[in-house]
Amino acid sequence: MTRKRQARMLGILLRRSDWVTAGYIADHLGVTSRSVRSYVTAINRLAPHGDAIESGPLGYRAASGAAEVELDEDRPTRGTPRERALTLVRQLLETDEGVDVFVAALELHVSPGTIEADLRRIRAALDGTELGFRREAAVVSIEGSELARRRFIGLLVHEQADEGGRDVIASHRAAERLGLDAGEFTQTGRDLLDALSGLGYAVNELAAADVVLHVAIACDRSAHGHPLPDSGIAARELAPVAEVIRGIARNRFGAELGESDLAHLASLVMLSIVDSGSSGSGIRADPAVERAVASAVARVADAYDVELAQEGLVGRLALHVENLVRRVQEQLFSRNPMTRSLKAASPLVFEMAVQVASDLSRDLGVTIPDDEITDIAMHLGASLEIDRESRAVVTVALVCPGIDEMRRQLEKGIVAELGGEVEIIERSTRYDPDWAGFGADLVLTTIDPPAHGASEKVVRIPPFLSERDVSRIADAAHRVRRQRRLVRLREEIEKWFVPDAFVRDAPESSPEAIIRTLGDSLIDAGIIDDGYVASALEREALSSTAFTESLAVPHAMTMSANRTAIAVAVSEHGIVWGEDRVHVVALVAFSESDRPAFQTVFEQFVDVFADPSNARRITRRATDLATFLTELAALIDET
């Protein structure tokens, strides 16, 4: 458990480039600050070159040596259950005669009973695969096709990588544990992308990365005498891609692949194609898939009352979804490193993607994981017509005394660089303007404002703009927009919360139990029914509603509540929620009549808790709903 917590701590620091407080890490791991300090010491001892973690007044952050640390939990010794199981799996997959339990016990220096326990874990891992487990006396074997064996190896690599942090290094280590040559993965990926681009294809790099793993598996299996049998299928149209694979296998892995292997790998490569590009192949999705995508996109646009550029979106997304369905069948995985950041930064877009994924899962009979939902969100976000409020420009008063030509040039520069961001509605050429009289959102001034009483909305700029000045104005405009949204949230929060729907020191329970507890309080208030709770649980099963590292916002996929309301549970010690440990859980019930409020409630609530310190502060100070709302309002005002 200690090594696993150390691995989780290192993962937190690697994900967050800035300083992280000891208190936050302790809360997230469910340990004390003293334990955090001991973890830092232990991890730094394992760093081959310098420290892996820096310490300072602001807490801890990952140093340059963090990526090189190999924790025992990530790279166990040969005698651990995980390593023994992987060794046994490799032996079982490489032989048709099976493995003798007593011989294996002697080779691995353990008892036959220990080997039996390892075999039970392996048998459980085979559930849901195309492989079977057979036993005759002391001899056990795995039965199934060569293709099924290769898929199982890929599945094991991903499971091991998930436990090790889901980053590139974790994936490479997981592959090495199963005897694969991971040293060439990075360059192989580059070779593949360059070659496909040369053939005129636009490629999903995340999906292509998993193809590299299957190339390595094919090379390893073929080198050990297990090529794919002749399928009799000649994919002549994929011959150029097959030749790319042949060259990569030969140059990077020193392997000569047969025609069946090349044809299969070429077909996998085509599942990473986003667009036919200039290849002239005219790739289009199956009409049935395109109809399902068009229907899902139309439904989500109607449900969320947004405008989507559907014509271009449907074609691109349909091709992606068709490849996704085939990747699931082939057990290919597209790992998207932006899943966590996209959920926190654009929760509404992610929710739209969840609904699309739900509809497609039902219509096409395929389970869509979080990483693929993120890909769908990226498609939707790129085609989303930004709402009128977020497009509303920030108004500006320009104070620029002196030469008229200089002022005109300055104004022209502001409009040219920031015309879509700001609108100049007031102008002053006085050296002593009425600073308090400006009604604009921002005041841009080329002279110093008064030393006392100057508003935060005043931005000092030179008369001749530089790129740095443009960035400062854009940042100020962004702050104004964000503050507008938070002010609206501040003005309306009290009406959304239900007096008796607040739980302090929620027990460490499952997400389902917390959702049911909060749901019961809203049912008692006559706001929702059992069906809404069931829908919220269904939504949680599709994708975790932990939108930040500290906040979960479970909700139903339908707006069937009698009115929009929020029930809250807080826990100073944290609640395990999927891969996260959250401190605030807000079950949100939405009604159809309050649909315009959906974006405000949802995105701005997530925005407040994007900073983990906010969640820590509110959970430590909020003893009841009244103090929770007081602290929430204070956080909004300070943002």
Side-chain angles (χ1 to χ4, degrees):
M1 179 61 74
T2 297
R3 287 300 190 191
K4 182 172 290 186
R5 283 174 173 159
Q6 290 176 5
R8 288 177 59 198
M9 173 180 173
L10 193 58
I12 291 170
L13 296 176
L14 286 169
R15 287 196 304 269
R16 299 168 64 90
S17 58
D18 205 351
W19 293 96
V20 181
T21 66
Y24 170 75
I25 296 173
D27 287 346
H28 205 68
L29 300 181
V31 298
T32 65
S33 295
R34 183 176 179 180
S35 294
V36 171
R37 291 194 295 273
S38 69
Y39 293 169
V40 171
T41 301
I43 292 171
N44 280 338
R45 286 175 183 159
L46 297 174
H49 304 99
D51 285 344
I53 300 174
E54 294 182 62
S55 304
L58 299 178
Y60 303 101
R61 68 178 178 185
S64 57
E68 301 178 36
V69 172
E70 297 181 3
L71 294 169
D72 289 348
E73 186 68 21
D74 287 333
R75 193 171 187 174
T77 60
R78 186 176 178 81
T80 63
R82 179 187 296 175
E83 185 66 12
R84 285 196 312 271
L86 293 177
T87 300
L88 286 170
V89 165
R90 188 164 178 84
Q91 291 177 357
L92 288 165
L93 292 175
E94 287 184 355
T95 177
D96 294 328
E97 288 74 27
V99 173
D100 188 291
V101 171
F102 296 100
V103 173
L106 289 172
E107 290 178 347
L108 297 176
H109 309 288
V110 294
S111 69
T114 299
I115 295 296
E116 295 284 4
D118 293 336
L119 289 173
R120 284 194 292 272
R121 281 190 286 271
I122 294 172
R123 186 168 189 170
L126 293 176
D127 288 345
T129 71
E130 301 171 34
L131 298 175
F133 191 88
R134 184 166 64 90
R135 179 160 191 162
E136 294 182 3
V139 178
V140 294
S141 59
I142 288 178
E143 296 180 325
S145 68
E146 173 60 23
L147 187 56
R149 291 168 187 253
R150 295 184 182 191
R151 289 172 176 168
F152 183 57
I153 294 172
L155 180 64
L156 288 178
V157 169
H158 284 295
E159 287 179 350
Q160 297 290 307
D162 286 350
E163 295 180 13
R166 299 191 65 183
D167 57 11
V168 173
I169 295 175
S171 296
H172 290 184
R173 290 177 185 165
E176 288 171 349
R177 291 188 199 124
L178 284 159
L180 303 178
D181 180 6
E184 294 292 336
F185 276 20
T186 300
Q187 191 55 52
T188 298
R190 292 171 182 158
D191 290 348
L192 181 60
L193 292 173
D194 290 344
L196 292 175
S197 297
L199 292 174
Y201 292 110
V203 185
N204 178 347
E205 294 187 25
L206 299 173
D210 204 46
V211 175
V212 172
L213 170 62
H214 283 266
V215 171
I217 293 172
C219 291
D220 179 72
R221 296 290 294 173
S222 295
H224 286 84
H226 303 289
L228 284 180
D230 185 8
S231 62
I233 300 175
R236 294 185 177 84
E237 68 278 8
L238 299 182
V241 177
E243 286 305 309
V244 168
I245 300 298
R246 188 195 303 275
I248 287 175
R250 182 181 296 151
N251 298 329
R252 295 295 173 190
F253 297 99
E256 292 292 338
L257 296 179
E259 295 303 317
S260 292
D261 277 298
L262 291 173
H264 177 66
L265 291 171
S267 68
L268 297 187
V269 168
M270 296 308 293
L271 300 185
S272 67
I273 301 302
V274 176
D275 190 7
S276 58
S278 59
S279 65
S281 58
I283 297 176
R284 284 188 63 87
D286 180 271
V289 174
E290 193 161 322
R291 285 193 297 271
V293 169
S295 177
V297 168
R299 281 195 295 269
V300 79
D302 179 66
Y304 288 83
D305 193 24
V306 296
E307 294 292 332
L308 291 167
Q310 296 190 32
E311 183 175 353
L313 169 64
V314 169
R316 294 190 304 272
L317 185 55
L319 180 59
H320 175 85
V321 169
E322 183 174 53
N323 287 346
L324 182 160
V325 172
R326 293 179 60 196
R327 284 200 302 272
V328 170
Q329 294 170 347
E330 293 287 348
Q331 295 186 14
L332 285 168
F333 299 88
S334 172
R335 299 300 196 192
N336 196 321
M338 292 181 286
T339 297
R340 182 183 294 271
S341 61
L342 191 146
K343 288 179 73 172
S346 304
L348 184 67
V349 175
F350 192 84
E351 278 308 296
M352 292 168 60
V354 170
Q355 179 166 323
V356 169
S358 175
D359 289 348
L360 293 176
S361 296
R362 181 192 63 242
D363 295 342
L364 301 177
V366 61
T367 300
I368 301 178
D370 257 19
D371 293 288
E372 297 284 2
I373 292 175
T374 303
D375 288 346
I376 293 173
M378 292 167 68
H379 280 277
L380 295 176
S383 300
L384 184 63
E385 177 67 23
I386 302 174
D387 67 281
R388 289 184 297 275
E389 180 180 5
S390 63
R391 284 191 288 118
V393 296
V394 172
T395 57
V396 166
L398 178 62
V399 178
C400 183
I403 303 172
D404 286 344
E405 182 60 26
M406 181 182 72
R407 179 186 55 76
R408 284 193 292 269
Q409 287 296 326
L410 176 59
E411 185 170 338
K412 182 179 179 181
I414 293 173
V415 172
E417 296 289 345
L418 298 157
E421 299 279 331
V422 302
E423 178 185 2
I424 301 174
I425 63 169
E426 298 178 81
R427 298 163 181 82
S428 175
T429 59
R430 297 177 58 88
Y431 283 96
D432 58 344
D434 179 8
W435 296 98
F438 292 118
D441 299 316
L442 288 177
V443 177
L444 306 182
T445 174
T446 60
I447 61 174
D448 290 330
H452 301 287
S455 170
E456 292 182 357
K457 71 180 184 179
V458 177
V459 179
R460 177 71 162 83
I461 61 172
F464 307 105
L465 286 180
S466 66
E467 289 186 9
R468 178 174 175 272
D469 301 316
V470 171
S471 297
R472 289 173 54 237
I473 297 172
D475 289 344
H478 170 73
R479 288 195 301 271
V480 169
R481 289 194 187 90
R482 184 167 184 258
Q483 192 60 31
R484 281 179 185 166
R485 296 192 300 266
L486 292 178
V487 165
R488 188 173 65 184
L489 179 67
R490 171 70 175 87
E491 293 172 347
E492 298 183 355
I493 53 174
E494 290 191 15
K495 73 178 184 181
W496 293 327
F497 291 88
V498 178
D500 295 328
F502 181 86
V503 178
R504 169 72 192 181
D505 294 326
E508 289 196 34
S509 186
S510 66
E512 178 180 352
I514 296 292
I515 290 172
R516 290 191 183 279
T517 297
L518 294 177
D520 286 344
S521 63
L522 295 181
I523 291 173
D524 292 341
I527 295 170
I528 61 173
D529 57 17
D530 290 333
Y532 192 94
V533 176
S535 180
L537 293 172
E538 180 184 352
R539 162 62 187 86
E540 193 67 42
L542 290 172
S543 173
S544 170
T545 55
F547 286 92
T548 74
E549 295 173 350
S550 303
L551 171 72
V553 190
H555 56 281
M557 291 176 58
T558 59
M559 299 184 187
S560 57
N562 293 328
R563 68 177 179 89
T564 296
I566 302 176
V568 176
V570 298
S571 171
E572 192 169 337
H573 299 292
I575 303 166
V576 176
W577 203 276
E579 297 180 359
D580 295 285
R581 190 180 189 89
V582 302
H583 294 272
V584 179
V585 179
L587 175 64
V588 185
F590 292 105
S591 70
E592 183 68 27
S593 60
D594 290 332
R595 184 166 63 174
F598 180 87
Q599 182 171 351
T600 302
V601 178
F602 196 66
E603 291 201 323
Q604 293 0 297
F605 199 71
V606 172
D607 191 23
V608 170
F609 290 99
D611 184 347
S613 64
N614 287 350
R616 292 182 60 215
R617 168 178 158 176
I618 207 167
T619 53
R620 288 174 179 172
R621 297 184 181 181
T623 56
D624 53 23
L625 181 59
T627 52
F628 177 87
L629 292 176
T630 298
E631 290 299 323
L632 179 59
L635 287 173
I636 293 171
D637 291 341
E638 294 170 11
T639 302

